[in-house]
Amino acid sequence: MPINVWDYLREYDELRDEILKAVDRVFSSGRLVLGQEGIKFEREMASYLGVAGGVGVNSGTDAIYIALASLGVKAGDEVITVPNTAVPTVSAIRTLGAKPVFVDIRDDDFLMDVAQIEAAITPRTKAIIPVHLYGQCVDLEPLMRLAEMHGLKVMEDCAQAQGALYKNSQAGSVGHASSFSFYPTKVLGAYGDGGMVLSNDEAALKLARSLRFYGMETQYYSERHGYNSRLDEVQAAILSLKLPLVNGWIDRRRQIAERYNRGLKDSGLSLPAENAHSRHTYYVYVVEHPSDRDGVLDRLAKRDINCNVSYRWPIHIMRGSTDLGYREGQFPVAERKAQRIFSLPMYPHLKDEEVDTVINVLREVV
C-alpha cells in the first residue's frame, strides 16, 4: 500500500461513532450556524491557548484578514511577513488592500529572521505577521519588543502551529491577536474548512465578531463593512470533539520525528532542528537535499512513498505577486530552501513500520 504524506481515514475509523453522534446532535438541534456548538468551541480554544476569547470563522485565510482588520489594519497599510509561507497569508493581507512587505528567513529553522524586520519598517507599516511554520514558533520576545518600540501590531499566523509552545506560552497567545486554520491536514483539523481569530484584546474580539457577520451587531443592521465568514456548527462540533486529543497526537508526532531523526542521521539529508525556545509539533517533518530534491521525490514515488513540498515557490517570485515589485534574488535563504526542501509522511496514525519503510527507502534513493 502507498504511504502518503497525510491521511485522515484511520483517524476517522477510530472516531467515527463519536463524530457521527456529534453531527447528528447538530442536525437535530435546529441550529446550523452561529449556535451553541460554535460558542462552546470558541471558549475551549481560548482556554487551550490561555487567552480571553476566540471568534470562529470560515477558514484560516479569513482568520488572518479578519484578525488584521480587528487590529486596525486597512487599505494602504503595510504588513511585514515572510515569502516562504502559504499563499493565504499574503492573499489575506491583500484582501484588506494592505501591502505585504517581506523579510528573509533564518537558514536553520525556516522561520522569520527577526533581525531583518527593523530595516523593513516604514511610516506605513501597521503590523507584523510571524508565520509559525511547520509546527515551530518564531522567536517572539525580540519581535514583541520591536513591535512595541515602533507601535506595531503582531498577528501570529498559527495555521501550522496548533499546540506549539514558545517557552511556556502557547503559539497564538503572545501577539496582539492570532489566526488558526482548521483545514483537514492541520494538527487540529476539521472535516472541511474552518478557522479562528483569538486575542486577549476584548475590543478586537468584538470587532472580529462583527466583521465575520457583515459588520452587524444587531440582526440586519450593518455598523461597518464586513464579511460572511462563519464557522458552521458541524465543524465546530467535530473540532470540539478532537481538541482534547491534540496533545496526545502531538506526542505521537514528536515520537515519529524522533524515529526519523535516528533513522536518517548521516543520510546526506539536512534534518529539522528544534529551537531551545520551542516545542515543535511537527505539523510537517521537513528535510533538505542539497542538489537533487525532485529526483529523490520521483524515486520515492516509484516506491509508493508520496511526499510533499511546502513550498516550491516563495510568494515574491510567483506571477500573482508581480505587482508587488520584488525580484528573484532578494530573499536568498527562502529561495534556496524552496529548491531543496520536502516533507516526509507525518500524521499521528502513521505506524512505526511505515516510518521505518520511509527511512529505509529514503536512505536507498538518496
Side-chain angles (χ1 to χ4, degrees):
M1 293 291 292
I3 301 175
N4 294 319
V5 71
W6 173 80
D7 190 285
Y8 75 93
L9 292 174
R10 292 173 187 168
E11 172 195 287
Y12 179 64
D13 186 58
E14 179 183 307
L15 300 177
R16 182 178 185 275
D17 289 346
E18 294 171 82
I19 288 171
L20 294 181
K21 286 178 185 176
V23 171
D24 183 66
R25 183 174 70 245
V26 172
F27 288 165
S28 301
S29 72
R31 188 68 179 263
L32 300 177
V33 178
L34 295 183
Q36 291 304 308
E37 297 286 352
I39 292 169
K40 176 175 180 285
F41 179 58
E42 288 172 345
R43 290 173 177 166
E44 290 168 347
M45 269 292 291
S47 176
Y48 183 92
L49 262 66
V51 298
V55 180
V57 297
N58 186 60
S59 68
T61 311
D62 289 10
I64 296 171
Y65 71 71
I66 290 174
L68 289 174
S70 75
L71 295 175
V73 176
K74 58 186 183 304
D77 290 337
E78 294 179 352
V79 179
I80 297 172
T81 190
V82 289
N84 71 321
T85 183
V87 170
T89 307
V90 174
S91 65
I93 296 169
R94 303 189 75 177
T95 294
L96 292 174
K99 179 183 178 182
V101 174
F102 298 121
V103 297
D104 210 348
I105 61 172
R106 290 158 45 99
D107 188 71
D108 58 348
D109 60 11
F110 315 102
L111 299 173
M112 173 181 273
D113 188 345
V114 176
Q116 296 189 26
I117 292 175
E118 191 156 28
I121 295 172
T122 76
R124 295 170 62 185
T125 306
K126 183 71 173 184
I128 305 168
I129 300 181
V131 179
H132 299 321
L133 201 66
Y134 303 153
Q136 184 164 220
C137 292
V138 172
D139 194 1
L140 289 170
E141 280 187 3
L143 177 58
M144 295 301 294
R145 286 196 299 267
L146 184 65
E148 184 177 0
M149 185 187 312
H150 291 275
L152 304 177
K153 298 295 186 180
V154 173
M155 203 295 293
E156 299 176 63
D157 182 343
C158 301
Q160 299 188 3
Q162 174 86 39
L165 297 180
Y166 177 74
K167 299 188 175 179
N168 293 318
S169 298
Q170 283 281 341
S173 68
V174 178
H176 300 97
S178 59
S179 62
F180 283 76
S181 168
F182 304 122
Y183 186 73
T185 63
K186 305 303 183 186
V187 173
L188 176 59
Y191 282 20
D193 269 318
M196 190 172 289
V197 177
L198 292 112
S199 181
N200 277 312
D201 184 334
E202 293 287 0
L205 291 168
K206 182 179 179 181
L207 181 53
R209 289 191 186 98
S210 172
L211 290 172
R212 75 172 173 184
F213 191 39
Y214 308 108
M216 293 181 184
E217 293 178 10
T218 301
Q219 192 174 23
Y220 300 131
Y221 188 93
S222 173
E223 299 285 350
R224 57 190 59 84
H225 172 67
Y227 316 96
N228 174 17
S229 182
R230 297 162 291 192
L231 179 65
D232 73 69
E233 291 287 276
V234 169
Q235 300 303 338
I238 293 171
L239 290 162
S240 184
L241 166 66
K242 293 171 70 173
L243 180 59
L245 305 174
V246 161
N247 286 341
W249 287 342
I250 290 171
D251 289 343
R252 175 57 183 158
R253 286 175 179 272
R254 289 177 60 83
Q255 291 171 6
I256 293 169
E258 182 54 35
R259 200 173 190 94
Y260 278 140
N261 289 342
R262 292 194 306 268
L264 295 173
K265 184 179 179 181
D266 302 322
S267 64
L269 298 168
S270 296
L271 307 182
E274 182 174 44
N275 290 322
H277 61 64
S278 285
R279 176 178 75 160
H280 203 317
T281 63
Y282 295 99
Y283 166 63
V284 286
Y285 185 94
V286 177
V287 300
E288 296 179 62
H289 191 281
S291 60
D292 189 29
R293 186 266 311 277
D294 290 345
V296 171
L297 289 175
D298 287 343
R299 294 191 290 276
L300 286 171
K302 289 174 182 175
R303 302 280 291 273
D304 282 333
I305 296 173
N306 300 309
C307 297
N308 189 34
V309 180
S310 301
Y311 302 95
R312 287 182 177 272
W313 302 277
I315 304 292
H316 70 286
I317 63 172
M318 293 184 184
R319 283 190 295 275
S321 299
T322 302
D323 61 312
L324 296 178
Y326 290 104
R327 66 184 186 280
E328 195 166 348
Q330 282 188 265
F331 306 105
V333 181
E335 292 171 27
R336 184 174 66 252
K337 295 291 185 184
Q339 298 298 317
R340 297 179 176 185
I341 59 173
F342 61 102
S343 307
L344 304 186
M346 171 61 78
Y347 55 95
H349 292 78
L350 200 62
K351 299 175 182 177
D352 282 350
E353 54 266 34
E354 291 172 320
V355 177
D356 291 341
T357 297
V358 173
I359 290 168
N360 294 333
V361 173
L362 185 52
R363 292 189 71 97
E364 288 179 28
V365 303
V366 168

